[in-house]
Amino acid sequence: LDANVVPIPNKNSDGTDVIVLLYDITEIKRLEKIKSDFVANASHELKTPVTALKGFSETLLEGAKDDPDLLQQFLEIMYTESSRLDILIRDILQLSKLEQNQELITLEPFDLGQTITSIFKTMKPLANKKKIQMRLKAPANQLIMNSNKSRVQQILINLITNALAYSKKSGIVEVAIYLEQNEQVVIEVTDDGIGIPADELPRIFERFYRVDKARSRNSGGTGLGLSIVKYLVESFQGEIDVESQLGIGTTFRVKLPLN
Ligand code: ADP
């Protein structure tokens, strides 16, 4: 018997026992809906870059390729669209891999501060483009986690990428890490960017949900980053919450077990 089945003991008229099984299918239906919504949304998202690629390549083949300016312009668009497709497929595959729960999660000790510093290094070109300062606030002593390094890295990369994408020019992105009760690591990623309207906050962890579709697309977003983060955080039995003020900035706070 699983959680959706409620056995109700009863008696037949001859006194023998009867068990009536009531199936609560609301949860099953809810999960089915999430799945079918996902397929519909994913197909829609995939269709956009494919349509653009098809349209521009057709126009080139029909003669636009003979105009060097058009050729250059269309090829640039096609390159951007195929990159978008690439990232989208990567995110969709990652989510489905996570959901199938087939990955072996290995644990290893690593220094969280150092991990963040190396992520900052890889993101420096992106930050420099917008003249954004990246800061790390960490305790004086090393903060050694015994966890799955690549999952923790992925959480950080997705949150810092968003902080950079939704920041204003010359802003500040700060990552603060500290220990809580010697057993939980708290990671806060704060930006002084555009913020998120209060009524949209509960929805941002949904797959493909974007506050501003156009803006997210332009910054290379797929609308899947935060749903992946949420999944990863929950895989550690951790917690994630967000505070935001429109036009002032956003803080994502993640709590993960130290070990
Ligand atoms: P995306 O790929 O669009 O960034 P995410 O799942 O990472 O998708 O985020 C969902 C939406 O939440 C984004 O489209 C954006 O509207 C909003 N969002 C996420 N992080 C931030 C942030 N730091 N500041 C403002 N808005 C954010």
Side-chain angles (χ1 to χ4, degrees):
L1 294 184
D2 61 39
N4 294 312
V5 185
V6 186
I8 300 185
N10 211 333
K11 293 267 180 213
N12 272 335
S13 52
D14 63 2
T16 53
D17 288 322
V18 161
I19 286 183
V20 180
L21 297 179
L22 292 183
Y23 289 83
D24 177 3
I25 59 164
T26 28
E27 180 60 9
I28 299 171
K29 282 264 175 257
R30 193 184 70 87
L31 293 175
E32 271 174 10
K33 178 154 174 16
I34 290 177
K35 261 196 195 142
S36 65
D37 283 354
F38 181 68
V39 173
N41 285 331
S43 316
H44 177 77
E45 294 290 335
L46 290 167
K47 216 168 167 341
T48 314
V50 171
T51 306
L53 283 170
K54 197 158 173 244
F56 283 105
S57 53
E58 257 168 21
T59 317
L60 284 178
L61 288 170
E62 280 161 8
K65 67 176 184 314
D66 301 327
D67 177 335
D69 285 345
L70 274 187
L71 179 64
Q72 175 72 22
Q73 195 190 331
F74 285 11
L75 283 177
E76 277 170 16
I77 299 175
M78 288 166 70
Y79 179 75
T80 310
E81 291 300 321
S82 47
S83 308
R84 189 193 309 291
L85 200 55
D86 194 23
I87 296 172
L88 197 55
I89 292 170
R90 187 202 59 197
D91 280 0
I92 291 174
L93 283 180
Q94 191 183 2
L95 252 185
S96 98
K97 228 168 138 189
L98 284 174
E99 282 199 321
Q100 285 174 6
N101 239 340
Q102 280 173 347
E103 253 183 347
L104 191 68
I105 308 177
T106 50
L107 306 178
E108 60 180 307
F110 60 90
D111 178 352
L112 183 61
Q114 206 182 347
T115 307
I116 295 170
T117 309
S118 357
I119 294 175
F120 275 2
K121 270 194 196 135
T122 62
M123 298 207 163
K124 194 113 189 82
L126 200 66
N128 283 350
K129 246 193 211 166
K130 288 175 81 174
K131 296 199 169 64
I132 295 171
Q133 234 191 81
M134 289 188 292
R135 287 187 196 153
L136 172 63
K137 219 164 105 184
N141 294 334
Q142 277 188 333
L143 209 164
I144 305 290
M145 282 183 89
N146 188 30
S147 188
N148 183 270
K149 188 173 174 185
S150 89
R151 287 195 170 199
V152 174
Q153 270 172 330
Q154 187 69 59
I155 293 170
L156 285 159
I157 290 172
N158 287 14
L159 292 179
I160 300 171
T161 307
N162 278 350
L164 291 174
Y166 302 106
S167 268
K168 297 172 200 139
K169 265 202 170 150
S170 314
I172 295 169
V173 167
E174 185 181 272
V175 180
I177 53 173
Y178 54 93
L179 257 184
E180 212 172 60
Q181 288 153 2
N182 260 332
E183 54 186 41
Q184 285 216 101
V185 177
V186 184
I187 305 171
E188 288 172 352
V189 181
T190 302
D191 65 64
D192 53 3
I194 60 170
I196 304 165
D199 57 331
E200 312 245 17
L201 276 179
R203 300 204 58 189
I204 55 168
F205 295 100
E206 288 174 21
R207 291 154 183 203
F208 296 115
Y209 191 81
R210 289 178 281 209
V211 176
D212 179 344
K213 251 187 155 37
R215 186 176 190 125
S216 157
R217 278 231 175 82
N218 289 338
S219 64
T222 60
L224 290 175
L226 284 179
S227 46
I228 291 174
V229 167
K230 188 160 189 267
Y231 211 100
L232 291 172
V233 169
E234 285 172 358
S235 78
F236 293 117
Q237 265 99 49
E239 284 167 37
I240 180 161
D241 59 57
V242 53
E243 273 167 37
S244 188
Q245 266 183 294
L246 209 53
I248 294 185
T250 306
T251 297
F252 283 91
R253 185 175 302 103
V254 172
K255 288 187 187 178
L256 297 174
L258 181 65
N259 290 299

